[in-house]
Amino acid sequence: MYNFSAGPGVLPEEVLLEARDNLLSLGKTGIGILEISHRSKEFEAILAETEANLRTLLSVPRDMRVLFLQGGASLQFSMVPMNLLLPGATADYIVTGEWGRRAVVEARRIPGAHVHIAASTESEGFCRVPSDAELALSATPAYVHYTTNNTIFGTQYAHIPDVGGRPLVADMSSDFLSRPTDISRYSLVYAGAQKNAGPAGVTVVLLREEILPTDATLQAGLPMLLNYRTHIEHGSLYNTPAVFAIYITHLVLRWLIRGGGLPAMARRNLEKAHLVYGAIDAAPGFYRGHAKADSRSLMNITFRLPTPALEDEFVKGAKAQGLDGLKGHRSVGGIRASVYNAFPLSGAQCLAQYMAEFARKHG
Ligand SMILES: *Cc1c(COP(=O)(O)O)cnc(C)c1O
């Protein structure tokens, strides 16, 4: 089956085969990866290599911390404002989809803080991301938050927004490690692993410590596990981390490095996305892409057919040919093809071919 699921997404077969062997015994330890202590030297080595490989792949600046947390990207919607936003302060949010909207809801819970919507494309059905000229940023926000790739609507930033030196925070969950990016432009980046980097259960956070207020009242009010400082001080080992999810992520990062790193990954991702967008553009009266051309996501490709009945038939017929997970998100409908890092080129070729045939038959 070719797995077009938006998340959890497809993982490299090599990774799964290696993990299978290590379920029974991690290397020569005689203890499986699901059963090994997070304080063992074997796991500590895995954690250290995972961090080192992330730093290499993304050129993470030395002064940024790398954390492996739980609770998904959704918990970061809360942790970011809880840790960074003081009463009386303002945070700017660029809203380009459902995940950004949810991040705003959590930020608004901070007593006495202001949430300013610097831009939103909601009135256009989130079919694009705003240009920098459209941003109405506040003068001195604690941070500017945005979503690099909108998993549900299928739009993506092709550039890093220029926020004039204000601290930039990004939810990178669905295009993390899919292309080279300048991490030094950010104050904080977070990504749930299950789209591109590994399985569900671990969330990677990259942050500059200097962005954390030292305010004693704020610090005293934060539960231990929701305080970034706890995880910084304990190297992500304050409590039991998501051992297995980190282990798989570690194998995925090795796989990425073996494959030529992010430039090679970006080339393959572009090639896959072009095949599917090509099939949409080849039948313009039949397929209708959701994203405006300059905001098209290379990870999640969303489109409609002339009727919901045809969309159902499209999904059913695809599944019969080994193409799974193409049904769009329940909030937008239509079709969504997610072609994350581990998704093979041959799967994109199959989908493009199926689309051409389907349009010919029903168009
Ligand atoms: C999937 C996703 C989330 C939610 O992730 P969880 O791990 O389910 O909390 C948030 N933001 C983006 C961009 C996503 O793709």
Side-chain angles (χ1 to χ4, degrees), residues 276-344:
V276 183
Y277 283 120
I280 293 174
D281 295 340
F286 190 73
Y287 296 116
R288 207 157 21 90
H290 180 75
K292 287 265 190 314
D294 63 356
S295 296
R296 281 177 162 182
S297 168
L298 302 181
M299 297 279 98
N300 313 97
I301 301 163
T302 49
F303 55 96
R304 307 294 311 237
L305 273 65
T307 64
L310 274 173
E311 289 169 351
D312 285 347
E313 193 175 336
F314 179 94
V315 170
K316 260 195 225 118
K319 186 152 186 172
Q321 296 198 20
L323 308 169
D324 194 31
L326 285 163
K327 198 172 163 50
H329 189 272
R330 59 192 182 281
S331 67
V332 286
I335 309 295
R336 173 172 55 173
S338 299
V339 286
Y340 295 125
N341 281 356
F343 190 87

Side-chain angles (χ1 to χ4, degrees), residues 69-94:
L69 307 184
Q70 301 187 58
S74 299
L75 186 60
Q76 295 309 305
F77 298 162
S78 305
M79 275 180 77
V80 166
M82 286 172 85
N83 281 264
L84 306 185
L85 201 48
L86 291 164
T90 298
D92 285 6
Y93 279 75
I94 302 169

Side-chain angles (χ1 to χ4, degrees), residues 6 71-75 77 99 147 149-151 171-174 190 192 194-195 203 340:
S74 299
L75 186 60
F77 298 162
W99 299 115
T147 315
N149 182 75
N150 298 284
T151 327
D171 175 0
M172 256 185 219
S173 293
S174 51
Y190 61 89
Q194 73 270 24
K195 312 289 166 58
T203 304
Y340 295 125

Side-chain angles (χ1 to χ4, degrees), residues 12-27 33 244 247-248 250-252 254-255 258:
E13 194 167 313
E14 292 166 57
V15 163
L16 297 175
L17 292 172
E18 188 171 349
R20 183 182 65 181
D21 294 342
N22 287 287
L23 276 183
L24 292 173
S25 170
L26 178 63
I33 181 62
F244 186 66
Y247 166 72
I248 299 287
H250 139 89
L251 295 182
V252 169
R254 280 185 174 179
W255 170 81
R258 279 200 302 280

